[in-house]
Amino acid sequence: MSDKNFLTIALPKGKLFNLSAELLGKIGCTADGLSEKSRKLIITNEAARLKFIITKTADVPTYVEYGAADIGIIGKDVILESGKDVYELLDLGFGRCRLMMAVPQNKKRARLEDYDHTRVATKFPRIAENFFAAQGMQMEYIKLNGSIELGPLIGLSESIVDIVETGTTLRENNLIELVTIMDATARLIANRVSYKLKFERINFIVDALSKQLNRA
Ligand code: PRP
């Protein structure tokens, strides 16, 4: 478990980092040197008894589930994909994106079912499998860790399941969205035990963030 005298907050590198740090800063949760570029892995604010850890996006739910971090900020898509047992406290509203299935424009098949038994490249095999199973479809999942859009362009897969935010990556690679699987935003999550043991501190943060979000 994390240090009982400190509240440990896990923040993801990448697109959510700046918005997360900025929002927490507005409620006084910050630390000198808190930056995505920091090579220091734990950034401490002794006076406020806060510790920040900056992790790979996909690892935030793991740190929180095991209690290495008491709370964290991460996308709903990543929480679902991780399958981790964490307590979701607040929808923070930012980082809005959607998880969808996309295919090459020039090879688009008429119906979703026409992709049954084909290969799909994705960073989200768990969510993808749940989705396709619910449609009665059996797919072959190829797990990639980034640049998913490359998959169908070079014949690795017939489709992708990936995040779309602005749609630029799809457009630039001549892919089109076939079906939306889910919408996602950033969430504040907590370790279940920490939430009980550090209830006052965590609840104070939840209240302050809620007020801040309502003000925006
Ligand atoms: C995400 C996602 C898409 C892109 C979508 O990738 O996997 O590639 O963003 O954004 P857009 O609709 O605004 O173009 P990310 O930049 O996180 O990198 P990675 O998937 O290559 O790791």
Side-chain angles (χ1 to χ4, degrees):
M1 285 301 280
S2 66
D3 191 329
K4 70 175 175 21
N5 296 313
F6 280 78
L7 191 76
T8 304
I9 304 176
L11 296 180
K13 283 184 186 162
K15 290 176 180 167
L16 294 182
F17 182 85
N18 285 336
L19 290 168
S20 304
E22 195 183 309
L23 180 65
L24 288 169
K26 284 183 183 158
I27 64 158
C29 278
T30 190
D32 285 343
L34 179 61
S35 144
E36 192 185 1
K37 305 231 157 32
S38 167
R39 303 305 296 172
K40 222 172 150 187
L41 299 173
I42 304 176
I43 299 152
T44 306
N45 178 341
E46 293 285 346
R49 290 181 297 123
L50 285 173
K51 282 185 187 173
F52 291 88
I53 58 172
I54 303 169
T55 78
K56 281 271 200 189
T57 302
D59 293 337
V60 169
T62 305
Y63 281 97
V64 173
E65 184 190 46
Y66 284 90
D70 299 305
I71 60 174
I73 291 181
I74 193 63
K76 177 71 177 176
D77 50 325
V78 178
I79 301 173
L80 285 178
E81 183 60 30
S82 75
K84 299 292 180 197
D85 180 28
V86 294
Y87 191 20
E88 213 180 292
L89 295 174
L90 202 58
D91 184 344
L92 301 171
F94 61 80
R96 190 170 292 279
C97 60
R98 60 183 192 279
L99 195 68
M100 47 90 242
M101 177 193 187
V103 298
Q105 199 154 19
N106 60 358
K107 290 187 192 150
K108 183 179 174 292
R109 302 180 186 181
R111 297 163 311 152
L112 177 61
E113 305 88 271
D114 298 334
Y115 287 90
D116 199 10
H117 292 103
T118 61
R119 287 173 300 178
V120 52
T122 186
K123 226 193 284 192
F124 299 89
R126 182 193 293 254
I127 300 176
E129 191 168 1
N130 281 339
F131 170 76
F132 288 112
Q135 318 298 316
M137 292 170 69
Q138 225 178 350
M139 308 289 278
E140 188 180 332
Y141 300 94
I142 301 175
K143 172 85 195 305
L144 293 179
N145 295 302
S147 304
I148 316 299
E149 292 83 358
L150 194 54
L153 300 184
I154 50 150
L156 178 67
S157 66
E158 278 74 22
S159 65
I160 60 168
V161 164
D162 197 22
I163 292 296
V164 187
E165 217 177 309
T166 61
T168 310
T169 314
L170 287 185
R171 269 194 305 280
E172 293 200 350
N173 293 291
N174 300 315
L175 297 167
I176 52 162
E177 182 170 344
L178 198 69
V179 55
T180 298
I181 297 176
M182 63 174 280
D183 291 309
T185 46
R187 308 294 161 101
L188 180 72
I189 58 172
N191 171 270
R192 290 189 182 278
V193 177
S194 298
Y195 187 63
K196 291 194 185 111
L197 295 180
K198 302 182 183 179
F199 179 79
E200 274 180 31
R201 287 204 76 183
I202 294 176
N203 216 33
F204 178 84
I205 289 176
V206 173
D207 281 350
L209 287 178
S210 304
K211 283 188 192 121
Q212 190 61 45
L213 292 170
N214 289 334
R215 205 173 294 158

